[in-house]
Amino acid sequence: MPRLTIAVALLALVVLASTMTYTGYLVVGVLADQLGTGRFVAGLLLGGIFARFPWIRKGRLRTVGLLPKPVRRPLIVSLLVLCLLSFLARGETVPAMLTGFTTAFLLTFPWLRRAMFGRMLSSVFKFAPGQNAPRSADGTVIDVEFREKKD
């Protein structure tokens, strides 16, 4: 069944990518409506705000941009919520559902990534030292191993 699993996973990724792409198109449209400009100018504005460029400093490759890392995710979520509220005010249900799904995915993505990465690591490194060590709830219990010596 590995082929079926791979096919389902690829289909899920294609659906997720297409949903995210269409939501980006909707966000650019709502932003263009709010600013009173065209989609092209709104897309350039968003591209300029969220752009990241490679930068070499002290011999290390880094990426720099206009927005610092802690600000990017809340700004994206706030743009998505603005679009969601705009679609709900207009009574457009399908774009509102897609934008809501994207917002929910963006908010749960860090938890999902940690859970999936932890599960993959636990299946690959099943017998890593310290990985499956029993954890004692009582701090007063001393765990000791005895070995017999051959005379």
Side-chain angles (χ1 to χ4, degrees):
M1 304 262 309
R3 288 184 183 173
L4 180 63
T5 305
I6 291 172
V8 168
L10 284 177
L11 181 66
L13 287 175
V14 166
V15 168
L16 182 65
S18 61
T19 302
M20 296 288 190
T21 304
Y22 186 63
T23 303
Y25 175 76
L26 293 173
V27 167
V28 169
V30 168
L31 188 65
D33 286 343
Q34 295 291 329
L35 296 176
T37 63
R39 286 184 184 269
F40 182 75
V41 173
L44 282 178
L45 177 68
L46 286 175
I49 289 173
F50 291 110
R52 308 290 292 163
F53 300 105
W55 188 267
I56 298 176
R57 186 173 181 183
K58 297 180 184 176
R60 297 179 70 190
L61 181 63
R62 298 179 44 207
T63 57
V64 294
L66 185 64
L67 295 174
K69 192 172 186 175
V71 175
R72 282 181 282 188
R73 185 179 303 260
L75 184 61
I76 291 172
V77 170
S78 63
L79 280 172
L80 286 171
V81 169
L82 171 78
C83 293
L84 180 65
L85 293 175
S86 173
F87 290 134
L88 289 175
R90 292 186 216 162
E92 298 176 5
T93 57
V94 174
M97 288 189 319
L98 289 172
T99 308
F101 172 76
T102 302
T103 305
F105 179 77
L106 189 64
L107 289 174
T108 59
F109 181 71
W111 173 81
L112 247 155
R113 182 177 55 194
R114 276 193 306 270
M116 295 293 285
F117 190 67
R119 183 169 291 235
M120 287 189 315
L121 278 182
S122 70
S123 66
V124 172
F125 298 112
K126 197 173 214 173
F127 302 109
Q131 186 82 3
N132 295 326
R135 295 189 175 104
S136 174
D138 189 6
T140 61
V141 175
I142 299 172
D143 193 16
V144 179
E145 248 184 68
F146 291 101
R147 294 186 201 159
E148 291 185 22
K149 274 189 173 180
K150 290 187 178 182
D151 291 329

